[in-house]
């Protein structure tokens, strides 16, 4: 028993230090985080010295992580070395005393943890989609664009097929730099795909591809989510897909318009949500919004959506916060895929919205 006393004291001291670090970070960043967010970051720091890998593995808001890492550097617990970061000997002892294990990744190596077999789509659909996506328009910062990998788009479609949300269905795609509408249409399974985007380049690209590839069930239109949803698209569809910007206001706008496009009970919606730009506090608020809309979450597949790196990394909001300034050399930005299903006919206000939908306290990549 006596031999445990110093260990217990070390642990208590280490915990008090973590508490103090978190308090200092909370004074500086208006993002609600818990001790678990910090623990995940300290788990990640034990297995990588790459900042972007720390972001990926921590599953915590980027704004918090940057402030947390700055504080650890200030206290000598983390050492910046060129483009890298590593725990100092003191930091390693501290993390040991806290009893935080190194991050372990146990996702299935075949499907990457998505739980879908892309082979179900067939080689032709996959090959044609990859060839089409090769010439897509680059991501634009002005619209907070950042598209997912080709594999991710195909996996979304495979997952929705498994849930029966595509076959013979009318599908609404709200914002489509991910080219979900094209992948859906290539399967020849939906009855109709209506795709809308504020970006004329995306709409033009989809129209041109649909024309060239004979995808006559795809209709593409320019639409700004701030405008009320036109009557022709209200309460009409079986399924929607969207991957919103993540300010709470922007997120709500996209998901509420998506829900308003659905016909009622049994209709389904798909969207992505990150940890990097949405704290668990925001996740909770979003879950309340969904319940109020009459929707239930049937599936959450974390880290399902992998995003290709966008060109504007050095002008995005988080660049100025980084503890070491280096461009990412691998995929690092991921989001959970959500599927929701309506329990009743939704009643959604269809008002015009004004102003910037892209920013809130947690926005980091806009
Ligand atoms: N700003 C680049 C990344 C934007 C990705 N938007 C979708 C986030 C997931 N909802």
């Amino acid at each position: 028993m006596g031999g445990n006393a110093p260990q217990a004291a070390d642990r208590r001291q280490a915990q008090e230090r973590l508490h103090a670090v978190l308090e200092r970070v909370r004074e500086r960043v208006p993002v609600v985080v818990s001790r678990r967010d910090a623990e995940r970051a300290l788990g990640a720091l034990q297995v990588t010295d790459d900042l972007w890998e720390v972001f990926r593995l921590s599953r915590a808001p980027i704004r918090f992580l940057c402030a947390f890492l700055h504080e650890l550097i200030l206290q000598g617990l983390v050492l910046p070395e060129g483009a890298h970061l590593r725990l100092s000997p003191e930091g390693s002892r501290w993390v040991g005393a806290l009893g935080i294990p190194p991050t372990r990744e146990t996702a299935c190596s075949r499907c990457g943890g998505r739980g879908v077999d892309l082979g179900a789509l067939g080689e032709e659909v996959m090959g044609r989609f990859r060839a089409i996506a090769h010439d897509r328009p680059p991501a634009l910062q002005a619209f907070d664009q950042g598209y997912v990998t080709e594999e991710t788009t195909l996996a979304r479609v495979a997952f929705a097929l498994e849930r029966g949300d595509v076959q013979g269905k009318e599908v609404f795609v709200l914002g489509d730099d991910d080219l979900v509408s094209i992948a859906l249409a290539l399967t020849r399974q939906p009855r109709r795909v209506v795709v809308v985007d504020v970006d004329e380049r995306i709409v033009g690209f989809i129209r041109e591809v649909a024309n060239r590839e004979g995808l006559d069930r795809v209709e593409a239109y320019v639409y700004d989510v701030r405008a009320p949803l036109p009557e022709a698209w209200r309460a009409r569809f079986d399924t929607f897909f969207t991957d919103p910007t993540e300010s709470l206001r922007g997120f709500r706008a996209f998901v509420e318009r998506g829900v308003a496009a659905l016909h009622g009970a049994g209709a389904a919606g798909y969207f992505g949500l990150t940890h990097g730009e949405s704290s668990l506090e925001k996740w909770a608020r979003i879950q309340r919004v969904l319940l109020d809309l009459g929707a239930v979450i049937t599936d959450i597949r974390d880290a399902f959506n992998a995003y290709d790196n966008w060109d504007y990394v050095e002008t995005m909001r988080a660049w100025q916060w980084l503890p070491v300034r280096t461009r990412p050399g691998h995929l690092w930005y991921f989001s959970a895929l959500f599927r929701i299903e309506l329990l009743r006919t939704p009643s959604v206000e269809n008002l015009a919205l004004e102003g910037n939908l892209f920013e809130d306290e947690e926005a980091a990549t806009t």
Side-chain angles (χ1 to χ4, degrees):
M1 286 295 280
N4 284 339
Q7 258 186 343
D10 284 352
R11 189 172 178 125
R12 199 171 44 250
Q13 220 172 39
Q15 283 172 344
E16 281 166 11
R17 188 164 192 184
L18 177 57
H19 181 78
V21 167
L22 275 175
E23 282 309 296
R24 284 177 64 86
V25 172
R26 287 190 181 112
E27 281 161 19
R28 274 182 242 136
V29 293
V31 180
V32 178
V33 287
S34 77
R35 185 191 177 89
R36 283 305 291 277
D37 293 294
E39 288 179 0
R40 280 193 295 275
L42 293 172
L45 280 166
Q46 293 174 71
V47 298
T48 182
D49 63 359
D50 178 313
L51 174 69
W52 302 94
E53 195 65 350
V54 171
F55 289 163
R56 181 180 76 82
L57 294 173
S58 298
R59 289 184 157 92
I62 294 164
R63 188 166 186 189
F64 157 73
L65 289 170
C66 289
F68 184 59
L69 291 169
H70 273 294
E71 184 61 29
L72 298 184
I73 291 169
L74 200 71
Q75 298 202 15
L77 296 166
V78 162
L79 303 173
E81 284 178 352
H84 299 273
L85 290 165
R86 65 175 176 80
L87 284 167
S88 67
E90 185 188 358
S92 295
R93 282 194 298 279
W94 177 56
V95 170
L98 285 167
I100 296 170
T103 305
R104 277 189 66 184
E105 291 202 86
T106 58
C108 164
S109 55
R110 273 197 73 192
C111 72
R114 293 190 175 105
V116 293
D117 179 2
L118 282 190
L121 295 177
E123 285 303 325
E124 200 198 327
V125 168
M126 292 197 291
R128 282 176 78 191
F129 181 73
R130 289 194 168 113
I132 291 165
H134 188 260
D135 300 321
R136 70 200 312 162
L140 277 189
Q141 185 169 19
F143 298 128
D144 187 25
Q145 287 171 349
Y147 49 76
V148 294
T149 62
E150 291 154 16
E151 195 171 63
T152 299
T153 297
L154 292 166
R156 277 186 197 161
V157 171
F159 182 58
L161 275 164
E162 184 187 83
R163 288 291 184 274
D165 292 327
V166 177
Q167 300 90 324
K169 304 292 189 191
E170 294 201 30
V171 183
F172 187 59
V173 184
L174 179 48
D176 199 21
D177 56 337
D178 297 333
L179 308 180
V180 171
S181 59
I182 298 289
L184 284 166
L186 285 171
T187 68
R188 307 275 169 190
Q189 297 290 310
R191 185 144 47 96
R192 181 182 180 218
V193 179
V194 172
V195 50
V196 301
D197 203 294
V198 68
D199 183 350
E200 290 176 15
R201 298 172 317 147
I202 301 278
V203 173
F205 180 79
I206 291 170
R207 280 184 184 155
E208 193 244 298
V209 167
N211 221 3
R212 194 179 69 222
E213 302 280 328
L215 305 174
D216 52 3
R217 293 176 197 180
V218 177
E219 302 161 34
Y221 304 97
V222 174
Y223 167 69
D224 183 334
V225 74
R226 291 174 298 184
L229 199 66
E231 202 49 47
W233 302 335
R234 292 197 71 189
R236 163 90 217 200
F237 296 89
D238 302 291
T239 307
F240 79 80
F241 287 85
T242 191
D243 197 2
T245 192
E246 293 198 12
S247 73
L248 188 60
R249 194 162 165 259
F251 187 90
R252 283 188 70 152
F254 277 88
V255 170
E256 288 179 2
R257 301 283 190 226
V259 166
L262 298 181
H263 59 67
Y270 291 84
F271 58 83
L273 186 61
T274 68
H275 293 291
E277 306 201 71
S278 294
S279 61
L280 291 181
E281 188 72 17
K282 202 197 282 184
W283 278 47
R285 292 179 74 176
I286 285 169
Q287 289 181 24
R288 270 184 224 114
V289 167
L290 294 170
L291 285 174
D292 289 344
L293 286 168
V296 63
I297 299 167
T298 62
D299 300 84
I300 302 179
R301 301 241 169 139
D302 207 14
F304 188 104
N305 298 310
Y307 295 74
D308 276 328
N309 283 309
W310 45 88
D311 292 336
Y312 59 83
V313 65
E314 286 170 25
T315 52
M316 70 183 190
R317 196 172 181 221
W319 183 256
Q320 61 189 323
W321 306 330
L322 301 185
V324 289
R325 297 254 162 79
T326 170
R327 288 179 70 93
H330 54 84
L331 300 183
W332 66 278
Y333 188 92
F334 284 75
S335 73
L337 179 70
F338 276 64
R339 178 184 180 275
I340 58 172
E341 196 167 304
L342 292 190
L343 297 172
R344 55 178 184 268
T345 303
S347 113
V348 190
E349 284 188 326
N350 195 28
L351 304 174
L353 302 168
E354 283 182 5
N356 183 336
L357 292 186
F358 297 122
E359 282 179 19
D360 67 6
E361 290 87 349
E362 302 182 25
T365 69
T366 53

